[in-house]
Amino acid sequence: MRRVLVIGIGAGDPDHLTLQAVAALNRASVVFVVEKDAERGDLSGLRHEICARHMRGDYRTVALADPPRDRASAAYAEAVGAWRAARAQRWGEALRTELDEDSCGAFLVWGDPALYDSTIAVLEQISAAGEITLDYEVIPGISSVQALAAAHRIALNRVGEPIHVTTGRRLAAGDVPPGARDVIVMLDADCAFRTVADRGTDIYWGAYLSTPDEILIAGDVGEVAGEIVRVRTEARARKGWIMDTYLLRRR
Ligand SMILES: C[S@@+](CC[C@H](N)C(=O)[O-])C[C@H]1O[C@@H](n2cnc3c(N)ncnc32)[C@H](O)[C@@H]1O
């Protein structure tokens, strides 16, 4: 049976790789590198660097171009479903043709595979389709949320309190549990923090966390929102892509 290792590689710093991840990498003979257009150079570069630095035996890398995703569609769940199905089709074919029966392959997943990442779901879909038999293991990684907290030197929760993790889309729609005081926002292409109406809310924002380009801004969201938008727009234009995450903390 083909074995697949889903390895969290951390949120940008090659030193995020855990010892468990290094050991897992060295079990793989084929590394599948998923390439998104905008981020292709930088993020796939990091994956190749990680392999070169930590893999001691022979291995091959196989690039998997990410299928296009309909980001304009109002039917968000359907668009994501179609994109995952296209991924499952491509990855299933690659696993069948590039990975021999009884050999081991690895997917290097940005951050942690359990947080806003579809690798596990896509492998489940491939398994369920039944054209190939595979088994997979998951190796956790340092997520961008942990990198954000460390960079700002904050704890994510206050004493005995919960944290709510959500997306920019949901924040903009006002879809946050009433009374939530600590809200982490990911996948926000539209600066949804501008919609926060509550006075007395701080934002801890970070872009390109754990990379040489890291940018951090913190302060009252009403006061620093404009600065974040300006800095974000400039950085995105300069690099061609951006990844940012933030914590909204009601005082
Ligand atoms: C598809 S999700 C992947 C999350 C990832 N699995 C993790 O554990 O961090 C992508 C989102 O993660 C966040 N992100 C990932 N890496 C980041 C980084 N280095 N700096 C800031 N945000 C990051 C951003 O909110 C981005 O939109």
Side-chain angles (χ1 to χ4, degrees):
M1 182 182 303
R2 292 171 178 86
R3 177 155 289 272
V4 175
L5 304 171
V6 179
I7 306 177
I9 59 166
D13 185 339
D15 284 350
H16 279 182
L17 215 67
T18 65
L19 297 177
Q20 187 188 14
V22 172
L25 262 182
N26 280 290
R27 288 165 56 200
S29 53
V30 181
V31 179
F32 296 93
V33 180
V34 180
E35 296 195 325
K36 299 186 182 187
D37 268 350
E39 312 152 347
R40 181 165 293 175
D42 295 348
L43 301 196
S44 72
L46 178 79
R47 290 177 170 93
H48 288 290
E49 183 189 332
I50 283 172
C51 294
R53 213 208 274 187
H54 296 289
M55 293 181 79
R56 288 178 293 275
D58 288 341
Y59 68 91
R60 285 185 303 118
T61 57
V62 172
L64 295 175
D66 219 19
R69 190 167 132 198
D70 180 3
R71 291 177 191 276
S73 169
Y76 181 75
E78 285 81 352
V80 171
W83 176 66
R84 281 188 178 180
R87 266 190 158 187
Q89 208 270 326
R90 277 187 198 185
W91 295 11
E93 181 62 15
L95 286 168
R96 195 178 59 76
T97 54
E98 303 283 355
L99 194 64
D100 298 336
E101 284 277 359
D102 299 320
S103 55
C104 181
F107 281 82
L108 306 190
V109 174
W110 196 257
D112 182 79
L115 194 61
Y116 291 113
D117 185 87
S118 64
T119 308
I120 293 172
V122 171
L123 291 175
E124 279 294 321
Q125 216 166 321
I126 294 168
S127 243
E131 282 174 25
I132 55 171
T133 49
L134 62 88
D135 195 10
Y136 67 90
E137 288 170 47
V138 179
I139 288 89
I142 293 177
S143 74
S144 54
V145 175
Q146 292 163 286
L148 176 78
H152 281 287
R153 302 187 302 172
I154 54 170
L156 295 172
N157 65 289
R158 284 177 278 182
V159 180
E161 293 207 24
I163 318 163
H164 183 70
V165 184
T166 191
T167 62
R169 175 183 289 264
R170 287 197 179 270
L171 178 69
D175 186 6
V176 172
R181 297 176 70 225
D182 291 286
V183 178
I184 292 157
V185 183
M186 305 175 74
L187 293 162
D188 181 5
D190 295 317
C191 300
F193 49 82
R194 290 177 295 182
T195 64
V196 174
D198 293 335
R199 289 181 178 276
T201 299
D202 289 325
I203 184 168
Y204 296 86
W205 179 83
Y208 313 109
L209 289 158
S210 309
T211 76
D213 297 310
E214 179 175 277
I215 312 171
L216 302 174
I217 296 176
D220 182 282
V221 69
E223 288 168 17
V224 299
E227 182 192 352
I228 296 174
V229 173
R230 180 179 54 74
V231 167
R232 189 183 188 282
T233 307
E234 281 169 12
R236 188 171 188 274
R238 190 170 59 247
K239 282 185 71 72
W241 61 275
I242 191 162
M243 283 202 292
D244 57 338
T245 304
Y246 51 91
L247 167 69
L248 293 168
R249 167 156 290 168
R250 212 180 301 156
R251 291 196 294 273

